[in-house]
């Protein structure tokens, strides 16, 4: 229903075209400053790049306001992006929390391209020579913002700064996603071995074993997820959002347990058990690889720790079930 009440760009007066450009420049400057604030603690050099781009947008806004005052006076009509059908939309700034550093840079580049397109279309719809010239100049400026960003990056982002930011981004990824996810995968893969295989050998009933495995995996996933989220809000440790860490830990715990529970959907007991053991082997090797790849644990030490722990838990479950 809201789209019914939107204006079309062809219906805007020249004053409204300028007013829309002014409000858009104001919004873009705010977005760039929000990016800068979001990145300042972890990526101060990139934050300075976005501060510089916000200053550029402020300059554009000042030019537009000066032209509006000259042509139409002091009162600027209230018209924003959402009031115009087909006008480009900006991603909500709060979504930046879910974007990587490189993705934020890509978003900024897309913003400049959207603005360039608007100025080129707007310039076609005005008759005043001064207004048309300014809109054309701003279109060229937005097109050149890629070069502006490169210039600002060259000023603030030397090789050492880029390398430091890359290390910081990798460390944050490991702390927020890999570490809790790995802890969850280890817990789900190893701790559920005993109840699943104890049930399997005690009952030799694949459906009962599957239900026990499903309950153990889902229950462990919920428990690990809430425990991780509640244990540390990330403010002092720098480990990132507790929600993200809770999701990583909870989901990977459930996945680790379900991996060797799902084979028991196979009705033949020994076939299901054989497949489950193969899955366990793959899970343990995957854990060892992740430890080596992201946590820099020597591969053979990681393998020995994981395989030994898994073997002991499996043996405990099998012995209890057989007894």
């Amino acid at each position: 229903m809201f789209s019914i009440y939107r204006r079309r760009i062809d219906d805007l007066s020249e004053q409204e075209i300028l007013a829309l450009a002014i409000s858009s420049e104001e919004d873009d400057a705010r977005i760039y400053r929000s990016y800068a604030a979001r990145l300042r603690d972890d990526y101060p050099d990139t934050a300075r790049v976005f501060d510089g781009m916000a200053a550029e947008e402020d300059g554009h806004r000042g030019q537009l306001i000066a032209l509006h005052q000259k042509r139409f006076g002091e009162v600027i009509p209230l018209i924003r992006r959402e009031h115009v059908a087909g006008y480009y939309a900006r991603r909500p700034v709060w979504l930046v929390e879910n974007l990587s550093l490189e993705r934020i840079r890509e978003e900024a580049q897309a913003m400049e391209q959207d603005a360039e397109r608007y100025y080129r279309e707007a310039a076609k719809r005005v008759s005043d020579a001064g207004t048309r010239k300014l809109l054309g100049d701003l279109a060229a400026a937005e097109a050149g913002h890629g070069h502006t960003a490169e210039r600002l990056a060259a000023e603030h982002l030397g090789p050492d700064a880029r390398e430091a930011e890359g290390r910081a981004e990798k460390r944050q990824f490991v702390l927020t996603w890999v570490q809790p996810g790995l802890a969850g995968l280890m817990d789900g893969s190893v701790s559920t071995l005993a109840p699943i295989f104890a049930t399997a050998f005690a009952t030799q009933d694949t459906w009962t074993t599957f239900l026990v495995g499903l309950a153990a995996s889902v229950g462990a996933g919920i428990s690990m997820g809430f425990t991780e989220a509640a244990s540390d809000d990330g403010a002092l440790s720098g480990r990132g959002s507790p929600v993200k860490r809770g999701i990583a830990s909870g989901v990977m715990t459930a996945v680790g347990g379900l991996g060797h529970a799902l084979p028991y959907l196979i009705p033949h007991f020994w076939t299901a058990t054989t497949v489950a053991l193969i899955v366990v082997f793959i899970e343990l090797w995957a854990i060892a690889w992740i430890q080596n790849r992201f946590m820099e644990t020597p591969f053979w030490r990681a393998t020995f720790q994981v395989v030994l722990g898994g073997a002991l838990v499996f043996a405990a479950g099998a012995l209890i079930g057989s007894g």
Side-chain angles (χ1 to χ4, degrees), residues 200-219:
F201 285 102
T203 66
Q204 295 200 4
D205 183 314
T206 57
W207 181 245
T208 300
T209 302
F210 168 72
L211 292 178
V212 170
L214 178 63
S217 302
V218 173

Side-chain angles (χ1 to χ4, degrees), residues 21-78:
I22 291 168
S23 67
S24 297
E25 292 289 353
E26 289 174 346
D27 288 345
D28 287 355
R30 289 192 187 99
I31 291 172
Y32 286 141
R33 288 194 171 91
S34 296
Y35 285 167
R38 161 74 173 83
L39 298 170
R40 202 172 308 283
D41 291 340
D42 296 322
Y43 310 106
D45 297 294
T46 295
R48 283 194 287 273
V49 171
F50 283 113
D51 283 334
M53 295 179 72
E56 293 262 352
E57 301 302 308
D58 288 340
H60 295 170
R61 179 175 57 86
Q63 291 177 277
L64 289 162
I65 290 175
L67 179 60
H68 186 280
Q69 289 173 325
K70 179 181 177 181
R71 291 195 60 197
F72 304 107
E74 299 292 332
V75 179
I76 301 173
L78 178 58

Side-chain angles (χ1 to χ4, degrees), residues 100-138:
S100 67
L101 180 59
E102 194 57 38
R103 184 62 184 279
I104 291 173
R105 289 172 177 155
E106 292 173 0
E107 287 291 317
Q109 184 179 11
M111 287 172 60
E112 301 301 335
Q113 292 171 348
D114 289 338
E116 177 197 355
R117 280 193 294 270
Y118 169 70
Y119 284 128
R120 294 201 184 281
E121 289 301 315
K124 298 175 184 177
R125 291 166 168 78
V126 298
S127 57
D128 178 74
T131 304
R132 190 175 188 125
K133 180 180 184 303
L134 177 59
L135 293 174
D137 290 345
L138 291 177

